[in-house]
Amino acid sequence: MKGQALAIALIIASGVATFIMSVSTMQSLKLTQATFYKDYRFADVFASLKRAPEGLQTRIREIPGVDRVETRVSAAVNIDIPGFPDPVTGNIISIPDIGEPLLNKLFLREGRLTEPFRDDEVVIGEAFAGAHGFTPGDKLGVIINGRRRDLTIVGIALSPEHIYQMPPGAFFPDFERYGVMWMGRTPLATAYDMKGAFNDVTLTLSPNANVNDVIDRLDELLKPYGGLGAYSRKDQLSHRYLSEEFRQLEQMAAMFPVIFLGVAVFLLNVVISRVIHMQREEIAVLKAFGYSNFDIGMHFVKLVLMIVSAGVITGITGGVRLGQWMSNIYMEFYRFPFLKYELRPEIVVIAAFVSAAAAILGTLHSLRKAALLPPAQAMRPEPPATYRETLPERIGLKRLLSQPTRMIIRHIWRRPVKSLLSVTGIAFAFAIMMVGSFQGDALDFMVYVQFGLSQREDIAVTFVEPTSGTALYELQGLEGVEYGEVFRSVPARLRFRRRSYRTAIQGLRSGGDLQRLLDTDLKPVELPLSGIVMTDHLGEMLGVREGDLLTVEVLEGRRPVLTVPVAGLVKQYLGVSAYMDLSALNRLMHEGNAVSGVYLATDSRYLPGIFKKLKEMPRVAGTGIREKAIAKFYETMGETILIFTLINTLLAGIIAFGVVYNSARIALSERSRELASLRVLGFTRGEISYILLGELSIFTLAAVPLGFLIGRAMCAYIAANLKTDLFRVPLILESSTYAFAATVVLVSACISGLIVRRKLDRLDLVAVLKTKE
Amino acid sequence: MTDNSISNTISPGSVVFSARTVTKVYNMGEVKVHALRGVDMELYAGEMVVLLGPSGSGKSTLLNILGGLDTATSGHVTYHGRDITGAPDKELTEYRRVHVGFVFQFYNLIPSLTALENVAVVTEIAAQPMDPAEALALVGLGNRLDHFPAQLSGGEQQRVAIARAVAKNPDVLLCDEPTGALDSATGIVVLEVLERVNRELGTATVLITHNADIAEMADRVIYLSDGLISRVHRNERKKPPHELRW
Ligand SMILES: Nc1ncnc2c1ncn2[C@@H]1O[C@H](COP(=O)(O)OP(=O)(O)O)[C@@H](O)[C@H]1O
Ligand SMILES: [Mg+2]
């Protein structure tokens, strides 16, 4: 009983801990985020544009609903770090020459802000600083507008705008090769040819303002100045990533605790019924002495509550620890300046109350039985339990089965619901393991599809502005470049009926080898010569099908509004892009052979040389290196995934162990008499162990396929809920995931089997046979 | 005990068991319970012995030690001349498996197995077993082979237990108050079965009871009181069980 109570308490503790961990982490992160946003004045609306005179700011301020406005200069730059050969790009954002920014204020981790009008000072983001080990006083070379400047790092800062940092167009963060920095407005404007002008504006709204109206008015105002379309927080990259992460946590907060609690309640029910059965004589005596049904019921309610309390208390303590630990991981992964860990008391109350209520409800049936047991009946020895021949035996298998095997099968068959629930409980252990590994499998697959099948270039070179396609020849001439393909990228808002989405249309040469589009079977498809092709998820978001006419509002150049037919949908797990044939796109844009960049396949041995050359080319705005980005990504994700797998393994082990151990102990208690009889008849320890452990093995083995089904369903549910425009998680489960899940569960089952086997070896034959059951 | 040559080749009248100054002390925390205080006895092949004594006199303890379910604190128990005192569990198991049949007050049938299967569970592992159906016929249950224990009366269950005990063709049958939980009419039926087994198969039988009337069906009666044999009595005439009344 003690061991069983402990096992159940542990399962409850796991459920409560996951609940507390997820909910407190989520709430803490949300609180931290909200506090950071508020204290550091995270803007409500963001817009980039080509260039507008500073005077336009007053007109923006006059838009109804706008509270504060801050114009900025934002410059894409190349960064030269001594001793780091890879191309590094960055974004320098202006801060006021004097004083702090009005919006999106900086939290200084180290150092100070730039001194007024100093053109050789820069504040850099913490993630970037951390990746390179920069401290104030270190120097960087920055190529702004084709000219190199040597800047001194004076401060290391965090910004509510860049809690999550990603290079533009990338799918993963890469803190080593992409950095956000801040510089005084005047020196930056001077360097970037933006004196008396701005190319970026952020604003906050007054209460009750309508975001969409403000965005529409702002777009109207910025249109003549090359506005790229304003967007609200909801579409702000860093904010969106955080929201996604919170949603995942929410999901985990819901799913795991329910499983654990369900399993715990089942086990409690089984154990309590057994205890009541074994104590029915004592119960009868108590009743004969005049204890009421209520008194008897309460006795067992107290027992249940004791187990639940032990579980809840352990769960809360563990959950708080895990929550703090996980919040810290998140805090480091994202860039929050501080962490406000909070555990709201109502969460604890909910966890305790729900666990207790579920446990009592779950055991109500057995409690009723105890209460209603008539005293006289309880005192009589029970007649032998009724058994029947089972279905497998009746269809003729009986002759093949030894008597001990028949005992196993009939015992399982006698209480099919209980047996099924035991199997289901163990199956959930498998499922939890699979959920743990699923993320890794899915990630591998996403990366494989995106970078193995679809985007196969080694380097993506982007130009400062659209350039003649002949630039390809120059790059192809570099030593080590094996092959190149040009591309054109045009920012646009795609509209269909009432829905719209801002993305970039990629113009590609059909028949290309480095950028391939994939159909739903992940087979490469040819890009049609006319019309637009888009990621399936984008099609879903816009509600378009092949053949629909799409309105394309180009957000560049003369900003034409075009009507283009949808020529098809393609499969992509990362991002949402639209594609067109390069010539067709050029024609629509009324431009000649213009390209935005070049994809290159290279011989990796020549990469340093290629990078060196690229850095010297003034028209090259940035270079994306695929391999290193992926490696870096895995490095970051690998750790989190490993931690998750570890936690899940532990949780699954607890469930598997708890269920198997409890089944074993119950079976031992129910059958100790039979097993002792067999020992008296001359059965060896091994032979009687077979009867008991055989049942457990059948449960465990039956749980394998069921667990795989449940696990798959749970993964499918997660995948279905992780569908965003940033990424879609495919339902991919590697065979190693199945194998690992099976191993963990089987090992847990074996351990509990061994413990029971030891008990079996110590079975006191004489004592067991003396009692009348 | 692994040597099976001694089994089943016993001439009538030879000594099956002998106990020499057997004591058994149970440690109940602070208190020591002396269940047996130095018992000397023999059991001869083919005989029917009744162990008679009041409750708590040590009858079960002695029987369990003889049957290899328990071990003596001191003294020696030999089975066909072999000392089984202090034999490891593995040997005792083998000993029970091959040579000893037990019948208890509570029948201890396997509820998930039918009457036939309850016997077969033993014959499957025995060296020279009877046919299970034959064993059940011997106890008068040839027509209830496929009944589960829950479908049998107490007396019938006890008879299945006897069939199970004798089906392996044991050298001895050790019965601890086999009629203790039965009414007298049913008890007599059970005793008749035991008598028949003893007579037809020649299985040496030890029968525990605290009922002096039952003692009349024995060849010898061993009286036990307070952990010691107080008296041994040989019945001039064995009464057949149907003549017993209590
Ligand atoms: N496992 C045990 N632990 C402690 N005392 C025991 C145990 N088994 C028997 N006894 C004690 O030993 C004595 C003899 O018991 P037992 O052999 O069962 O007597 P009987 O069968 O003649 O009624 C009794 O006093 C009993 O309480
Ligand atoms: Mg007794």
Side-chain angles (χ1 to χ4, degrees), chain A residues 384-385 387 398 403 406-407 410 673-674 677 679-685 687 765-766 769-770 772, chain B residues 64 69 89 93 96-97 102 106 108 110-113 117 120-122 124-125 148 150 157 164 168:
Chain A
Y387 284 89
K398 185 168 154 181
Q403 311 307 327
R406 291 181 202 185
M407 287 173 68
R410 288 176 195 169
R673 197 176 176 77
E674 277 172 58
S677 304
R679 286 282 281 138
V680 170
L681 294 175
F683 276 63
T684 61
R685 288 172 175 168
E687 282 163 345
L765 306 184
V766 179
L769 294 175
K770 261 193 188 146
K772 69 175 194 291
Chain B
N64 292 339
L69 284 181
D89 178 79
T93 302
R96 292 195 300 268
R97 190 173 184 136
F102 281 103
F106 306 107
N108 293 322
I110 311 293
S112 55
L113 297 180
E117 292 166 339
V121 84
V122 173
E124 268 180 7
I125 60 164
F148 281 93
Q157 288 184 56
R164 182 174 66 178
K168 68 170 82 156

Side-chain angles (χ1 to χ4, degrees), chain A residues 770, chain B residues 54-61 64 105 176-177 208 210:
Chain A
K770 261 193 188 146
Chain B
S55 187
S57 55
K59 306 183 295 290
S60 300
T61 305
N64 292 339
Q105 176 178 4
D176 193 344
E177 307 212 28
I208 285 185
H210 55 255

